[in-house]
């Protein structure tokens, strides 16, 4: 069954609560790439270098990684609706404060608070949408996938449009949109049933004791370093105006969404998950290597093209992470994300540092090596990763791909 066949007839006939949550989800995912096209503008406005400004990603994803141990603990105790509202409140406050920053240190700190709010929101939104949706889970998942893809694609574009006037405006814009999302969810969404079992803070760590889940998490850690080298360091290499940089990363986001939702499931059915993932990682390694050593036009093309490989990888990694162990999906998701988001925090910090220590090409060499290391882990640990992965149906892969990427 193709992704867009399931529940297609009912996707538009959803309760207001579902649309409110899905709309807020679009803005939440926009926040990931929002600062991408304005990184050089922020550096100029705050008299900072690339290393300092890249900490915007590092603080954001470091807090996101640590929050993976907290989100299940919180939502299983106070319920999905209150968790969503708490996360949105954090984003509104800290995104607004980010726009008032006078120093890089202030901006990095506010971005960390934003990351905590985003983690609380996106890790809960899918479950809420599925619980409140009409027409079954397939329509709800399709709607959430659409919100994810739209947010990832539009984030850089919105950042460019608002950031062309001032680097502060994208932060204020995000706070305003999330405030609207907060009001919509407060009005339209009723409280969801709490889980029968409360999640402890250590459950995600215990889940990593399973060899297959640990292998998927370690491989994804290496892959995420490559992913966020492209996302956080490439804008400085391209050195374009916010409009042009936003257009490049909009095209990147479109490819990411299309290959994640449409192409990856078809490739998995034809070739198998592990072959697709290993091949995509190697191709991503080659792409970032050419990006690092090519001329300006080549760098633009390779940046956009990387979105296709990243989209495939996101979907397949998610299937592996949630299908390879017997842990409940939210617990397995939290453990997996706890590991991989540390690389998302590390790459934006180390890539500009490596450039300072060497030259502009070497950060991409390192990123290519980490992508290959991710493929090596898949190859060496293929037996541990194959057992449950082969049992998953394509529909399961679709649902899980949204759940883990959102977390």
């Amino acid at each position: 069954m193709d992704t867009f066949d399931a529940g297609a007839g009912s996707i538009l006939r959803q309760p207001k609560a579902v649309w409110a949550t899905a709309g807020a989800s679009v803005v939440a995912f926009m926040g990931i790439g929002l600062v991408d096209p304005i990184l050089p503008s922020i550096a100029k406005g705050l008299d900072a270098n690339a290393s300092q400004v890249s900490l915007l990603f590092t603080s954001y994803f470091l807090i996101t990684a640590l929050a993976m141990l907290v989100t299940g603990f919180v939502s299983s105790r106070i319920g999905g609706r209150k968790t969503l509202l708490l996360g949105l409140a954090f984003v509104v406050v800290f995104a607004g404060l980010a726009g008032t920053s006078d120093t890089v240190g202030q901006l990095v700190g506010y971005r960390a608070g934003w990351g905590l709010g985003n983690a609380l929101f996106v890790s809960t939104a899918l479950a809420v949408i599925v619980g409140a949706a009409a027409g079954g889970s397939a329509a709800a998942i399709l709607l959430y996938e659409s919100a994810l893809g739209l947010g990832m694609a539009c984030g850089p574009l919105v950042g460019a449009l608002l950031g062309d006037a001032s680097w502060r405006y994208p932060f204020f814009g995000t706070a305003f949109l999330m405030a609207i999302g907060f009001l919509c969810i407060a009005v339209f969404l009723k409280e969801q049933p709490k889980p029968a079992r409360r999640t402890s803070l250590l459950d995600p760590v215990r889940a990593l004791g399973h060899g297959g889940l640990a292998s998927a998490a370690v491989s994804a850690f290496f892959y995420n370093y490559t992913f966020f080298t492209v996302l956080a360091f490439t804008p400085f290499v391209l050195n374009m105006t916010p409009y042009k940089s936003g257009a490049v990363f909009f095209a990147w986001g479109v490819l990411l969404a299309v290959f994640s939702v449409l192409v990856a499931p078809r490739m998995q059915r034809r070739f198998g998950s592990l072959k697709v993932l290993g091949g995509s990682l190697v191709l991503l390694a080659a792409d970032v290597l050419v990006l690092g050593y090519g001329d300006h036009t080549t760098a633009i093309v390779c940046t956009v093209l990387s979105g296709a490989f990243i989209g495939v990888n996101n979907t397949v990694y998610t299937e592996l992470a949630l299908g390879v162990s017997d842990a409940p999906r939210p617990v397995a998701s939290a453990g997996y994300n706890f590991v991989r988001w540390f690389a998302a925090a590390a790459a934006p910090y180390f890539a500009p540092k490596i450039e300072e220590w060497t030259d502009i090409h070497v950060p991409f060499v390192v990123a290519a090596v980490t992508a290959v290391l991710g493929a090596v882990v898949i190859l060496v640990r293929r037996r541990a990763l194959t057992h449950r992965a082969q049992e998953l149906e394509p529909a399961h892969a679709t649902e899980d791909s949204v759940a883990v990427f959102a977390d």
Side-chain angles (χ1 to χ4, degrees):
M1 182 186 298
D2 286 346
T3 303
F4 277 85
D5 291 339
S10 60
I11 184 174
L12 298 179
R13 296 192 295 272
Q14 297 294 337
K16 293 179 180 178
V18 173
W19 286 114
T21 308
S25 298
V26 172
V27 182
F29 288 116
M30 282 170 51
I32 294 177
L34 185 78
V35 301
D36 231 41
I38 59 172
L39 287 175
S41 298
I42 294 173
K44 182 178 180 180
L46 295 179
D47 193 23
N49 58 36
S51 296
Q52 292 172 316
V53 173
S54 293
L55 289 175
L56 293 176
F57 283 101
T58 297
S59 63
Y60 184 89
F61 288 114
L62 181 61
I63 295 300
T64 298
L66 295 173
M68 288 301 109
L69 302 179
V70 177
T71 53
F73 178 89
V74 172
S75 63
S76 65
R77 284 163 173 77
I78 69 174
R81 180 176 179 273
K82 291 179 181 177
T83 303
L84 289 179
L85 292 174
L86 180 63
L88 287 171
F90 269 98
V91 174
V92 170
V93 170
F94 285 103
L97 288 173
T100 67
S101 301
D102 294 320
T103 66
V104 172
Q106 289 179 354
L107 186 55
V108 169
Y110 294 144
R111 181 75 167 165
W114 183 349
L116 174 59
N118 216 49
L120 288 169
F121 177 83
V122 300
S123 63
T124 310
L126 176 62
V128 170
I129 288 177
V130 171
S137 62
I141 291 164
L142 179 57
L143 183 62
Y144 191 82
E145 284 178 333
S146 302
L148 184 155
L150 183 62
M152 288 295 292
C154 291
L157 193 61
V158 172
L161 293 174
L162 295 177
D164 187 61
S166 170
W167 65 264
R168 300 179 187 274
Y169 289 171
F171 298 108
F172 293 140
T174 299
F176 176 76
L177 292 173
M178 288 304 244
I180 294 176
F182 181 97
L183 293 175
C184 290
I185 289 176
V187 172
F188 297 119
L189 180 64
K190 297 180 180 179
E191 185 57 81
Q192 305 296 298
K194 296 179 183 179
R197 177 182 175 275
R198 291 184 175 184
T199 301
S200 77
L201 292 174
L202 294 180
D203 280 350
V205 177
R206 294 190 185 102
L208 291 170
H210 185 279
L213 182 60
S215 299
V218 171
S219 179
F221 174 90
F222 288 121
Y223 154 66
N224 261 32
Y225 186 95
T226 308
F227 177 0
F228 285 94
T229 296
V230 173
L231 188 63
F233 183 65
T234 303
F236 293 104
V237 176
L238 297 180
N239 194 27
M240 303 166 72
T241 65
Y243 275 126
K244 292 181 179 179
S245 183
V248 169
F249 278 96
F250 173 74
W252 169 87
V254 169
L255 275 187
L256 186 154
V258 169
F259 274 74
S260 178
V261 174
L262 297 178
V263 178
R266 290 175 169 82
M267 294 179 66
Q268 288 175 269
R269 288 193 291 270
R270 182 169 181 179
F271 301 107
S273 295
L274 298 186
K275 289 182 180 178
V276 169
L277 182 56
S280 181
L281 286 168
V282 172
L283 290 174
L284 178 61
D287 180 78
V288 298
L289 200 60
V290 175
L291 192 164
Y293 281 92
D295 58 22
H296 193 259
T297 300
T298 302
I300 292 174
V301 172
C302 288
T303 298
V304 173
L305 184 60
S306 70
F309 305 125
I310 289 169
V312 170
N313 293 339
N314 286 341
T315 294
V316 183
Y317 268 120
T318 304
E319 176 184 340
L320 291 178
L322 293 191
V324 75
S325 75
D326 294 319
R329 286 179 178 178
V331 174
S333 170
Y336 164 78
N337 282 288
F338 174 69
V339 174
R340 73 168 184 142
W341 284 124
F342 277 110
Y349 175 78
F350 283 110
K353 287 292 185 182
I354 292 171
E355 181 199 9
E356 292 174 10
W357 299 332
T358 55
D359 60 51
I360 199 169
H361 308 296
V362 177
F364 294 100
V365 175
V366 175
V369 170
T370 55
V372 171
L373 287 175
V376 169
V377 173
I378 295 297
L379 176 64
V380 172
R381 297 290 296 168
R382 61 188 180 279
R383 291 184 181 275
L385 292 166
T386 299
H387 173 61
R388 289 291 299 282
Q390 290 181 335
E391 299 175 6
L392 290 176
E393 297 293 332
H396 291 168
T398 300
E399 178 177 351
D400 293 345
S401 69
V402 180
V404 171
F405 188 77
D407 289 347

